[in-house]
Amino acid sequence: MRFFERLADRIDAVDSVVSVGLDPDPDRLPEHLLDRDLPRWAFNRRIIDATHEHAAAFKPNAAFYEDPDGWRALEETIAYAKGKDVPVILDAKRADIGNTTRQYADLLDDEADGPAADAITVNPYMGRDSLQPFLDKEDKGVFILCRTSNPGGADIQDLELAEGDLVYERVAALADGWNGNDNVGLVVGATTPDELEEVREQVPDIPFLVPGVGSQGGDAEAAVEHGLADGVGVVNSSRGIIFAWEDDQSRRRATEGDEEQFAGASGEAARRLKRRLNQYR
């Protein structure tokens, strides 16, 4: 079964298009987890337990695992999430040339030391040959950066080309042409709802990964209305879910002896986002 088929099944099973970003910033982990062998894994396991019933996907960002213990934590995280039947999107934004990009694409291959992610984010700046090893993996999802949610995305993505289209519009058109295996998605942020709508009009059949809803204040209605292709796509929140416990009420409960309150707060945040997004589905 191909990635977007598995994702569609998961969306139907939990009635949700929420992607939970697993970005375990070591400076923000609960203090009682810091003496564990792998604090990031200990944190993620509790977040997964609390949120999986509301999650269409989990999205760990590779930046939070770029060290030996981090890769171990990531392997455990991916295995545990997949054990809950939740697809995993590795937010790695990889791409390069030749043998280098083939090595990056191996992140999607199951190996003896642990299962691989189901999908990955990639950067199209170096062109098709830098993405081809990812595109060739027919059963894996490939989310191509198109119109990102950060304010600086406009510096390059909104530039007008000689033919009159904008860079992000050209990326969407190229991605549509590269989708021979029906495994391509686009990353289009909810913080630019007009551009999100424009990209959807341009590529009606490609699912989107929509970041920016949550702590970045993106447009949830636009994320659902334009982010889904035939009901398939995900809307991601990372900090707004996994660090929901940092509000004052949760901190007070934690000081009263409930050390696991952070996980419950994350589960409630995921449930609220699911309910919010489902208003527009």
Side-chain angles (χ1 to χ4, degrees):
M1 185 179 292
R2 299 191 179 193
F3 170 72
F4 286 114
E5 294 172 334
R6 298 197 302 275
L7 181 61
D9 286 348
R10 179 65 189 177
I11 290 169
D12 288 343
V14 293
D15 190 28
S16 176
V17 293
V18 172
S19 166
V20 177
L22 298 175
D23 302 350
D25 185 341
D27 293 333
R28 297 175 72 176
L29 299 185
E31 186 174 353
H32 71 282
L33 297 180
L34 297 181
D35 60 352
R36 303 297 177 99
D37 178 41
L38 295 173
R40 284 166 286 187
W41 155 234
F43 177 77
N44 284 349
R45 180 172 65 82
R46 289 160 174 78
I47 297 295
I48 291 170
D49 283 341
T51 63
H52 72 91
E53 63 184 294
H54 309 300
F58 286 113
K59 185 180 73 66
N61 190 308
F64 293 92
Y65 305 91
E66 299 270 4
D67 60 80
D69 282 350
W71 284 114
R72 288 173 56 209
L74 180 60
E75 290 170 358
E76 296 289 352
T77 296
I78 291 174
Y80 196 69
K82 294 178 77 167
K84 299 286 190 182
D85 295 323
V86 185
V88 177
I89 303 167
L90 180 60
D91 192 357
K93 302 179 178 68
R94 296 292 200 259
D96 211 308
I97 59 172
N99 191 53
T100 306
T101 201
R102 288 192 290 273
Q103 293 298 312
Y104 280 146
D106 286 345
L107 290 169
L108 294 174
D109 291 334
D110 289 313
E111 298 180 354
D113 57 354
D118 301 290
I120 193 168
T121 62
V122 297
N123 191 326
Y125 189 76
M126 296 178 68
R128 179 168 185 159
D129 62 325
S130 71
L131 303 185
Q132 196 62 54
F134 301 99
L135 300 171
D136 287 342
K137 296 183 183 298
E138 298 182 10
D139 63 331
K140 301 293 186 175
V142 184
F143 285 98
I144 299 174
L145 299 182
C146 180
R147 182 60 176 93
T148 56
S149 60
N150 61 306
D155 293 347
I156 294 176
Q157 295 160 18
D158 284 3
L159 293 177
E160 185 173 348
L161 302 176
E163 293 84 353
D165 53 342
L166 305 182
V167 169
Y168 75 84
E169 295 172 335
R170 178 68 60 85
V171 169
L174 289 169
D176 199 28
W178 296 341
N179 195 22
N181 288 324
D182 293 323
N183 62 343
V184 168
L186 289 175
V187 178
V188 188
T191 53
T192 55
D194 292 341
E195 287 90 340
L196 179 61
E197 182 178 4
E198 290 172 6
V199 177
R200 172 53 67 210
E201 291 175 353
Q202 185 178 358
V203 287
D205 300 322
I206 291 183
F208 294 172
L209 164 60
V210 185
V213 171
S215 61
Q216 294 184 61
D219 189 324
E221 182 175 2
V224 173
E225 182 178 356
H226 306 303
L228 309 182
D230 196 21
V232 180
V234 288
V235 179
N236 186 76
S237 176
S238 299
R239 290 164 292 173
I241 292 177
I242 67 173
F243 296 123
W245 65 283
E246 292 180 336
D247 67 75
D248 289 341
Q249 184 178 12
S250 293
R251 285 178 187 234
R252 286 197 297 271
R253 291 176 182 171
T255 59
E256 292 169 1
D258 186 1
E259 291 183 335
E260 300 300 303
Q261 172 60 26
F262 76 91
S266 297
E268 178 60 22
R271 186 191 66 80
R272 287 197 303 269
L273 181 57
K274 169 183 172 179
R275 184 173 59 190
R276 180 183 173 198
L277 297 177
N278 281 351
Q279 296 177 54
Y280 308 116
R281 288 176 64 203

